[in-house]
Amino acid sequence: MSKNLPTAGYALYWRIWFLLLILTVIMVFVDQVSLPRLALVWILVLAMLMKASLIAGYFMHLRFEKLTLAVIVGVGILATAAALFLLIAPDGIRILKLSSG
Amino acid sequence: MLKATHDVTQSSWGGGISPFAVGWNKLMMWLFIITDGLLFAGFLASYGFARLSSSQWPDQLEVFHLWFIALMTFILISSSATMATAVRGAERGHRATVLRFLLLTIVGGLVFLGMQAYEWTTLIREGARLYSNPWGVPQFTGYFFLTTGFHGSHVFTGVLILSITAVRWKKGLSSAEGVELTGLYWHFVDLVWVFIFTLFYLI
């Protein structure tokens, strides 16, 4: 068990659950109103990363683990996934341009 | 000198005999989660590639029943909260609480799977196939079935692991750390869904 876990009871998890619920409802509402595409994507990605941080940080106790563990998880997944996408994204755009014109 | 060494090993970046300050089994679970996360990262990056290279993409609001998917999300998030409660209960030695919340988590997982089966059946009845669909972009359903199918299989595996953990806990065979490792896997399944829900159903 994580050494730095606060001694508070179960309430912490249900507060996080409520925050996740609110974020989900906001995301679904935002998706159904007519916002500019770029603004919509930014809002949704931001909310997605907030939800992911809450789950990893509090439910998975990463916030209370040693910083080195949080870093290998963060870099291991997020940075590698971002690098993977950024490496193939230009080709996707190139294919779109070739096929449309 | 000794004090200096002690300060280094105790710092965030210190090594020592346990550089991550967790037991080997928890470290292995985290490494598994990283590799499994990269599997889904590959799927989603590839899906992003398909979106960028397609001049058109079906409007998700017309294909999916968004509030139904939001309800699935709600159930998975709730099951993560019950799982976290079970993990905390195990740490505190509250045996009955652990069992009760493990069972609630299993129910959440089963309901999610049932809803996913219903969603898949509805789409298949509307003509969705792995390589074709009525919405004009064949790869749309290819990515949909592949990504949600892999996630669903993770949920199914999670329900099995949860059931085994619950039985072992009832018999007094599982430790608090065993429950925590099961919890890490279950939260990971929830975490992946956060990305799938946003990138596949909303954006």
Side-chain angles (χ1 to χ4, degrees):
Chain A
M1 192 57 67
S2 315
K3 290 182 182 64
N4 304 320
L5 201 58
T7 48
Y10 303 113
L12 172 71
Y13 302 119
W14 293 97
R15 280 202 293 271
I16 300 297
W17 168 80
F18 186 68
L19 282 175
L20 290 168
L21 183 62
I22 296 288
L23 280 168
T24 305
V25 171
I26 289 172
M27 287 167 87
V28 175
F29 268 114
V30 164
D31 195 54
Q32 292 180 71
V33 296
S34 52
L35 280 177
R37 179 76 184 156
L38 195 62
L40 176 73
V41 170
W42 273 109
I43 291 170
L44 291 175
V45 168
L46 197 66
M48 173 184 81
L49 292 176
M50 282 169 74
K51 282 171 74 177
S53 308
L54 286 171
I55 293 170
Y58 290 93
F59 283 170
M60 299 173 95
H61 296 157
L62 210 51
R63 191 184 173 309
F64 312 110
E65 300 288 2
K66 204 173 169 185
L67 187 59
T68 42
L69 185 65
V71 169
I72 63 157
V73 174
V75 173
I77 297 182
L78 288 179
T80 317
L84 188 66
F85 179 67
L86 292 176
L87 282 172
I88 61 169
D91 274 346
I93 295 168
R94 202 159 55 87
I95 289 171
L96 177 65
K97 281 181 182 163
L98 284 173
S99 61
S100 60
Chain B
M1 177 66 187
L2 266 178
K3 186 184 178 304
T5 311
H6 178 76
D7 287 346
V8 169
T9 54
Q10 289 300 304
S11 75
S12 289
W13 300 103
I17 56 165
S18 180
F20 300 108
V22 290
W24 67 268
N25 36 10
K26 191 164 159 184
L27 182 61
M28 288 302 112
M29 177 52 91
W30 270 113
L31 291 180
F32 167 73
I33 286 172
I34 292 172
T35 55
D36 211 21
L38 288 176
L39 172 84
F40 284 102
F43 284 152
L44 292 173
S46 156
Y47 160 70
F49 174 85
R51 286 290 297 266
L52 283 174
S53 59
S54 299
S55 55
Q56 54 168 341
W57 198 258
D59 181 1
Q60 292 102 320
L61 288 174
E62 288 174 13
V63 178
F64 303 116
H65 301 286
L66 203 52
W67 285 105
F68 183 79
I69 310 299
L71 184 62
M72 286 169 70
T73 308
F74 166 73
I75 285 164
L76 211 54
I77 287 172
S78 302
S79 76
S80 235
T82 55
M83 185 70 234
T85 308
V87 171
R88 200 59 194 273
E91 180 215 5
R92 294 174 146 200
H94 297 169
R95 299 200 62 83
T97 306
V98 175
L99 198 59
R100 192 163 59 242
F101 280 91
L102 276 178
L103 290 175
L104 280 173
T105 311
I106 292 169
V107 170
L110 288 173
V111 171
F112 179 88
L113 283 173
M115 291 176 82
Q116 193 173 39
Y118 175 77
E119 185 205 12
W120 273 41
T121 309
T122 309
L123 289 172
I124 290 168
R125 282 190 181 143
E126 287 171 8
R129 300 289 182 272
L130 200 53
Y131 299 111
S132 65
N133 60 64
W135 302 291
V137 186
Q139 64 266 40
F140 168 65
T141 38
Y143 279 106
F144 171 76
F145 285 125
L146 186 79
T147 313
T148 59
F150 257 84
H151 179 264
S153 69
H154 276 70
V155 176
F156 179 70
T157 313
V159 169
L160 287 182
I161 297 169
L162 281 164
S163 307
I164 293 167
T165 307
V167 171
R168 283 175 58 83
W169 182 262
K170 187 165 171 34
K171 288 183 175 174
L173 297 171
S174 185
S175 63
E177 192 175 31
V179 179
E180 190 188 9
L181 296 184
T182 303
L184 279 177
Y185 179 79
W186 190 256
H187 297 313
F188 167 70
V189 169
D190 184 25
L191 192 62
V192 169
W193 182 255
V194 167
F195 286 85
I196 293 177
F197 176 62
T198 311
L199 300 175
F200 219 102
Y201 291 93
L202 298 180
I203 289 181

